[in-house]
Amino acid sequence: MPYLTAPEELEDLLPGEPAFRANQLKQWLYQHPVLDPTEMTNLPARVREAFGSNHWPFSVEVEQSSDRGRTRKWLFRAPDGAAIETVLMGYPRRATLCISSQAGCAMRCTFCATGQFGFERHLEAGEITAQVAFAMASLSKQPMEGSPLRVSNVVFMGMGEPLANYANVRETLRRLIEVMGMSARAITVSTVGVVPGIDRLAAEPWPVTLALSLHAADDHLRQSLVPLNARYPIDDLLAAVRRFAAGKGRRVTLEWTLMDGVNDTPEQARALASIARKIRAHVNVIPMNPTPLAPQKRPPDRRIRQFVDEVRRHGANVTLRDTRGTEIDAACGQLRVRSAAASEE
Ligand code: SAH
């Protein structure tokens, strides 16, 4: 299981082989990932075949693409049945990969499809890193028209709460940055607000980007959407975010999933703008992706625009996230929802 072995320990998988083989294998796993080990051209067949069908730590259960191949989504399945979702989005100057850090999630945010399944297990560092390597391999095999040939940006916005799986996420960051050579700034760790995790991440050597899923500007409303708010209320979160931003010299992102009649009022927009100005954060508004089990809905387009305008008018730096891939369920645990529904039929 090459991805489940630390890159520095690959030699252990190749008993009797000269030391440089492990280095060659490391290149094929991390610098120039390939979908199939037979493409590892400078390795003898006996080395390539050593892992049999276990090159990837998961199988590909569903692969979908839309936007003329510029959005690709995979549902991977680990041998124990854990589902792992990954989405690749190509843009003119970047290729952004959205990865999962856990199978399921324990946070139970009321609007999120993943939370409705509950928590299955943490993903291992190798399972998280392999999502990036797989997407790199897919891109080099089938480039996206007008986009870079490598994954340039990674966001921990798939399934799971990355800061609740700290050790594995940390090891993934180390592999992506120090072994694959990705830019730390191009990696965004998105959290629902695990304060001790934010502080630990702040103490790491890498200038990664932090995104805080805020969604509400007061504790009462936030509590109804994000149960973890009882443990870490908004003031504590903002203090942690400030420490992170000060330590790293990085601007933090505030994420705001916009829900019809819930957090799309002018009052929330103003309060959000005031928070963002105070901590010099960038606001990212994500229109709610309706999911079968959540009561919340996406606001009408006009209201989405009004909300964004209101935040901007009050002096905050704000962007509206495009909802790439919604037609292939490429958002927020939805492919998995559909797959589970189909298997229950
Ligand atoms: N647990 C982490 C990362 C995973 S979710 C976090 O909470 O940040 C990534 C982003 O998608 C979060 O901002 C989350 O609130 C948002 N999200 C979850 N469900 C959504 C939905 N149905 N529609 C739109 N955004 C959603």
Side-chain angles (χ1 to χ4, degrees):
M1 290 291 220
Y3 283 104
L4 297 183
T5 304
E8 295 73 20
E9 286 162 15
L10 287 170
E11 287 180 42
D12 301 349
L13 298 182
L14 304 172
E17 295 292 339
F20 69 88
R21 292 278 181 232
N23 213 29
Q24 287 176 318
L25 179 61
K26 186 164 106 182
Q27 300 259 329
W28 286 116
L29 295 175
Y30 296 99
Q31 272 97 31
H32 306 284
V34 288
L35 289 175
D36 189 311
T38 58
E39 297 166 60
M40 301 177 172
T41 44
N42 61 358
L43 286 179
R46 63 170 188 281
V47 173
R48 289 187 255 128
E49 284 158 12
F51 315 113
S53 56
N54 287 336
H55 177 61
W56 297 104
F58 37 60
S59 56
V60 181
E61 182 161 309
V62 182
E63 177 168 38
Q64 293 185 343
S65 93
S66 66
D67 304 313
R68 289 186 291 124
R70 284 180 305 144
T71 303
R72 294 179 198 169
K73 163 134 189 172
W74 296 278
L75 178 67
F76 301 115
R77 189 72 70 175
D80 69 348
I84 304 170
E85 277 190 8
T86 308
V87 184
L88 178 64
M89 292 155 285
Y91 301 91
R93 270 177 297 278
R94 64 197 155 88
T96 300
L97 188 72
C98 177
I99 59 173
S100 297
S101 56
Q102 298 178 316
C105 185
M107 299 299 158
R108 298 204 175 270
C109 299
T110 57
F111 53 92
C112 175
T114 304
Q116 287 149 2
F117 287 95
F119 176 70
E120 276 177 53
R121 69 168 170 87
H122 293 309
L123 296 185
E124 290 184 41
E127 293 174 306
I128 310 174
T129 313
Q131 296 170 56
V132 183
F134 190 96
M136 291 266 196
S138 164
L139 258 186
S140 62
K141 190 126 210 161
Q142 272 182 298
M144 289 176 164
E145 202 187 314
S147 295
L149 290 171
R150 291 181 73 79
V151 173
S152 59
N153 295 64
V154 166
V155 296
F156 283 81
M157 294 183 190
M159 294 197 297
E161 167 49 46
L163 297 183
N165 182 14
Y166 194 84
N168 286 309
V169 167
R170 183 199 188 278
E171 172 60 10
T172 302
L173 293 174
R174 186 189 75 81
R175 292 187 195 179
L176 297 185
I177 297 163
E178 296 184 358
V179 185
M180 290 178 115
M182 290 197 63
S183 150
R185 286 163 202 275
I187 302 175
T188 299
V189 176
S190 176
T191 179
V192 71
V194 181
V195 167
I198 295 173
D199 284 329
R200 286 175 79 180
L201 193 62
E204 302 291 359
W206 312 294
V208 295
T209 302
L210 179 71
L212 172 69
S213 294
L214 189 63
H215 310 313
D218 62 82
D219 283 319
H220 181 73
L221 178 58
R222 193 166 190 274
Q223 181 68 52
S224 71
L225 301 171
V226 177
L228 191 71
N229 196 72
R231 185 113 165 251
Y232 304 114
I234 293 177
D235 282 349
D236 295 5
L237 290 182
L238 298 180
V241 164
R242 270 198 154 122
R243 292 192 291 274
F244 183 95
K248 296 261 183 262
R250 303 279 295 139
R251 197 188 268 264
V252 167
T253 299
L254 297 177
E255 287 168 282
W256 192 278
T257 295
L258 198 63
M259 305 165 216
D260 192 25
V262 176
N263 62 354
D264 58 350
T265 60
E267 294 72 40
Q268 286 289 318
R270 283 195 287 276
L272 165 60
S274 148
I275 290 173
R277 279 201 321 268
K278 241 180 259 160
I279 62 171
R280 299 166 53 79
H282 177 95
V283 175
N284 198 353
V285 173
I286 316 163
M288 166 85 189
N289 249 302
T291 89
L293 296 171
Q296 297 89 350
K297 301 272 171 292
R298 176 190 167 112
D301 288 350
R302 192 174 50 89
R303 205 162 165 87
I304 296 174
R305 275 198 307 279
Q306 282 169 349
F307 184 86
V308 171
D309 288 346
E310 189 74 2
V311 175
R312 187 170 292 133
R313 215 159 57 77
H314 284 84
N317 185 317
V318 56
T319 48
L320 180 63
R321 162 106 51 93
D322 78 32
T323 39
R324 230 357 145 72
T326 38
E327 70 276 29
I328 55 167
D329 305 311
C332 317
Q334 298 188 353
L335 185 58
R336 186 172 165 218
V337 170
R338 173 164 302 179
S339 169
S343 63
E344 277 158 21
E345 276 165 9

